[in-house]
mmCIF file of all heavy atoms in Angstrom:
data_model
loop_
_atom_site.group_PDB
_atom_site.id
_atom_site.type_symbol
_atom_site.label_atom_id
_atom_site.label_comp_id
_atom_site.label_asym_id
_atom_site.label_seq_id
_atom_site.Cartn_x
_atom_site.Cartn_y
_atom_site.Cartn_z
ATOM 1 N N ALA G 51 -2.143 16.115 -4.861
ATOM 2 C CA ALA G 51 -1.767 17.369 -5.508
ATOM 3 C C ALA G 51 -2.989 18.233 -5.813
ATOM 4 O O ALA G 51 -2.964 19.455 -5.622
ATOM 5 C CB ALA G 51 -0.986 17.080 -6.784
ATOM 6 N N GLU G 52 -4.059 17.597 -6.271
ATOM 7 C CA GLU G 52 -5.265 18.369 -6.586
ATOM 8 C C GLU G 52 -5.934 18.912 -5.327
ATOM 9 O O GLU G 52 -6.440 20.033 -5.327
ATOM 10 C CB GLU G 52 -6.229 17.479 -7.362
ATOM 11 C CG GLU G 52 -5.743 17.123 -8.770
ATOM 12 C CD GLU G 52 -6.673 16.146 -9.459
ATOM 13 O OE1 GLU G 52 -7.665 15.713 -8.813
ATOM 14 O OE2 GLU G 52 -6.412 15.802 -10.636
ATOM 15 N N GLU G 53 -5.936 18.135 -4.267
ATOM 16 C CA GLU G 53 -6.582 18.580 -3.028
ATOM 17 C C GLU G 53 -5.847 19.763 -2.404
ATOM 18 O O GLU G 53 -6.468 20.732 -1.953
ATOM 19 C CB GLU G 53 -6.639 17.417 -2.035
ATOM 20 C CG GLU G 53 -7.188 17.787 -0.668
ATOM 21 C CD GLU G 53 -8.643 18.215 -0.727
ATOM 22 O OE1 GLU G 53 -9.365 17.810 -1.664
ATOM 23 O OE2 GLU G 53 -9.068 18.965 0.179
ATOM 24 N N PHE G 54 -4.512 19.693 -2.377
ATOM 25 C CA PHE G 54 -3.737 20.734 -1.703
ATOM 26 C C PHE G 54 -3.099 21.724 -2.684
ATOM 27 O O PHE G 54 -2.269 22.550 -2.276
ATOM 28 C CB PHE G 54 -2.649 20.098 -0.830
ATOM 29 C CG PHE G 54 -3.193 19.207 0.245
ATOM 30 C CD1 PHE G 54 -2.858 17.863 0.291
ATOM 31 C CD2 PHE G 54 -4.049 19.716 1.217
ATOM 32 C CE1 PHE G 54 -3.346 17.036 1.290
ATOM 33 C CE2 PHE G 54 -4.542 18.894 2.219
ATOM 34 C CZ PHE G 54 -4.208 17.555 2.257
ATOM 35 N N ASN G 55 -3.444 21.604 -3.946
ATOM 36 C CA ASN G 55 -2.949 22.537 -4.961
ATOM 37 C C ASN G 55 -1.419 22.568 -4.992
ATOM 38 O O ASN G 55 -0.797 23.631 -4.952
ATOM 39 C CB ASN G 55 -3.507 23.950 -4.709
ATOM 40 C CG ASN G 55 -3.305 24.860 -5.913
ATOM 41 O OD1 ASN G 55 -3.232 24.391 -7.060
ATOM 42 N ND2 ASN G 55 -3.214 26.160 -5.668
ATOM 43 N N LEU G 56 -0.825 21.396 -5.062
ATOM 44 C CA LEU G 56 0.627 21.290 -5.096
ATOM 45 C C LEU G 56 1.145 21.657 -6.484
ATOM 46 O O LEU G 56 0.482 21.416 -7.492
ATOM 47 C CB LEU G 56 1.072 19.867 -4.748
ATOM 48 C CG LEU G 56 0.602 19.321 -3.393
ATOM 49 C CD1 LEU G 56 1.141 17.909 -3.194
ATOM 50 C CD2 LEU G 56 1.026 20.236 -2.255
ATOM 51 N N ASN G 57 2.339 22.223 -6.502
ATOM 52 C CA ASN G 57 2.953 22.618 -7.757
ATOM 53 C C ASN G 57 3.237 21.392 -8.620
ATOM 54 O O ASN G 57 3.755 20.378 -8.137
ATOM 55 C CB ASN G 57 4.245 23.396 -7.491
ATOM 56 C CG ASN G 57 4.885 23.909 -8.753
ATOM 57 O OD1 ASN G 57 5.681 23.219 -9.382
ATOM 58 N ND2 ASN G 57 4.539 25.127 -9.137
ATOM 59 N N SER G 58 2.922 21.481 -9.893
ATOM 60 C CA SER G 58 3.069 20.335 -10.790
ATOM 61 C C SER G 58 4.530 19.914 -10.955
ATOM 62 O O SER G 58 4.835 18.720 -11.086
ATOM 63 C CB SER G 58 2.467 20.658 -12.158
ATOM 64 O OG SER G 58 3.116 21.791 -12.741
ATOM 65 N N LEU G 59 5.451 20.891 -10.958
ATOM 66 C CA LEU G 59 6.867 20.547 -11.101
ATOM 67 C C LEU G 59 7.368 19.793 -9.883
ATOM 68 O O LEU G 59 8.143 18.823 -10.011
ATOM 69 C CB LEU G 59 7.692 21.818 -11.314
ATOM 70 C CG LEU G 59 7.424 22.582 -12.612
ATOM 71 C CD1 LEU G 59 8.258 23.857 -12.650
ATOM 72 C CD2 LEU G 59 7.721 21.712 -13.822
ATOM 73 N N ALA G 60 6.929 20.225 -8.700
ATOM 74 C CA ALA G 60 7.326 19.520 -7.477
ATOM 75 C C ALA G 60 6.742 18.115 -7.462
ATOM 76 O O ALA G 60 7.410 17.150 -7.041
ATOM 77 C CB ALA G 60 6.878 20.309 -6.251
ATOM 78 N N VAL G 61 5.497 17.968 -7.888
ATOM 79 C CA VAL G 61 4.871 16.646 -7.949
ATOM 80 C C VAL G 61 5.623 15.748 -8.922
ATOM 81 O O VAL G 61 5.851 14.549 -8.658
ATOM 82 C CB VAL G 61 3.388 16.779 -8.364
ATOM 83 C CG1 VAL G 61 2.782 15.408 -8.608
ATOM 84 C CG2 VAL G 61 2.600 17.531 -7.303
ATOM 85 N N GLU G 62 6.037 16.301 -10.044
ATOM 86 C CA GLU G 62 6.809 15.526 -11.018
ATOM 87 C C GLU G 62 8.123 15.055 -10.421
ATOM 88 O O GLU G 62 8.545 13.909 -10.628
ATOM 89 C CB GLU G 62 7.060 16.379 -12.262
ATOM 90 C CG GLU G 62 7.776 15.651 -13.381
ATOM 91 C CD GLU G 62 7.987 16.534 -14.595
ATOM 92 O OE1 GLU G 62 7.305 17.583 -14.691
ATOM 93 O OE2 GLU G 62 8.817 16.171 -15.446
ATOM 94 N N ASP G 63 8.787 15.935 -9.654
ATOM 95 C CA ASP G 63 10.033 15.545 -8.989
ATOM 96 C C ASP G 63 9.788 14.426 -7.986
ATOM 97 O O ASP G 63 10.592 13.483 -7.876
ATOM 98 C CB ASP G 63 10.642 16.751 -8.268
ATOM 99 C CG ASP G 63 11.242 17.762 -9.234
ATOM 100 O OD1 ASP G 63 11.443 17.412 -10.409
ATOM 101 O OD2 ASP G 63 11.502 18.907 -8.809
ATOM 102 N N ALA G 64 8.690 14.527 -7.245
ATOM 103 C CA ALA G 64 8.389 13.507 -6.237
ATOM 104 C C ALA G 64 8.109 12.155 -6.875
ATOM 105 O O ALA G 64 8.441 11.108 -6.307
ATOM 106 C CB ALA G 64 7.199 13.956 -5.392
ATOM 107 N N LEU G 65 7.502 12.151 -8.043
ATOM 108 C CA LEU G 65 7.222 10.892 -8.736
ATOM 109 C C LEU G 65 8.488 10.291 -9.344
ATOM 110 O O LEU G 65 8.713 9.081 -9.273
ATOM 111 C CB LEU G 65 6.177 11.121 -9.830
ATOM 112 C CG LEU G 65 4.720 11.229 -9.387
ATOM 113 C CD1 LEU G 65 3.840 11.646 -10.560
ATOM 114 C CD2 LEU G 65 4.239 9.894 -8.809
ATOM 115 N N ALA G 66 9.302 11.136 -9.940
ATOM 116 C CA ALA G 66 10.494 10.646 -10.645
ATOM 117 C C ALA G 66 11.586 10.220 -9.680
ATOM 118 O O ALA G 66 12.288 9.228 -9.906
ATOM 119 C CB ALA G 66 11.018 11.724 -11.593
ATOM 120 N N GLY G 67 11.750 10.971 -8.581
ATOM 121 C CA GLY G 67 12.833 10.671 -7.656
ATOM 122 C C GLY G 67 14.184 11.064 -8.227
ATOM 123 O O GLY G 67 14.288 11.796 -9.219
ATOM 124 N N HIS G 68 15.238 10.578 -7.581
ATOM 125 C CA HIS G 68 16.625 10.852 -7.997
ATOM 126 C C HIS G 68 16.881 12.360 -8.069
ATOM 127 O O HIS G 68 17.466 12.860 -9.033
ATOM 128 C CB HIS G 68 16.927 10.197 -9.350
ATOM 129 C CG HIS G 68 16.678 8.728 -9.370
ATOM 130 N ND1 HIS G 68 17.454 7.813 -8.703
ATOM 131 C CD2 HIS G 68 15.690 8.004 -9.979
ATOM 132 C CE1 HIS G 68 16.990 6.596 -8.908
ATOM 133 N NE2 HIS G 68 15.921 6.677 -9.669
ATOM 134 N N GLN G 69 16.462 13.060 -7.027
ATOM 135 C CA GLN G 69 16.661 14.504 -6.960
ATOM 136 C C GLN G 69 17.771 14.831 -5.962
ATOM 137 O O GLN G 69 18.069 14.056 -5.060
ATOM 138 C CB GLN G 69 15.363 15.201 -6.531
ATOM 139 C CG GLN G 69 14.167 14.900 -7.403
ATOM 140 C CD GLN G 69 14.327 15.455 -8.804
ATOM 141 O OE1 GLN G 69 14.719 16.602 -8.988
ATOM 142 N NE2 GLN G 69 14.005 14.638 -9.797
#
Side-chain angles (χ1 to χ4, degrees):
E52 291 175 357
E53 175 65 25
F54 299 120
N55 194 27
L56 303 181
N57 184 272
S58 59
L59 295 177
V61 173
E62 184 179 343
D63 287 345
L65 282 172
H68 304 290
Q69 304 294 313

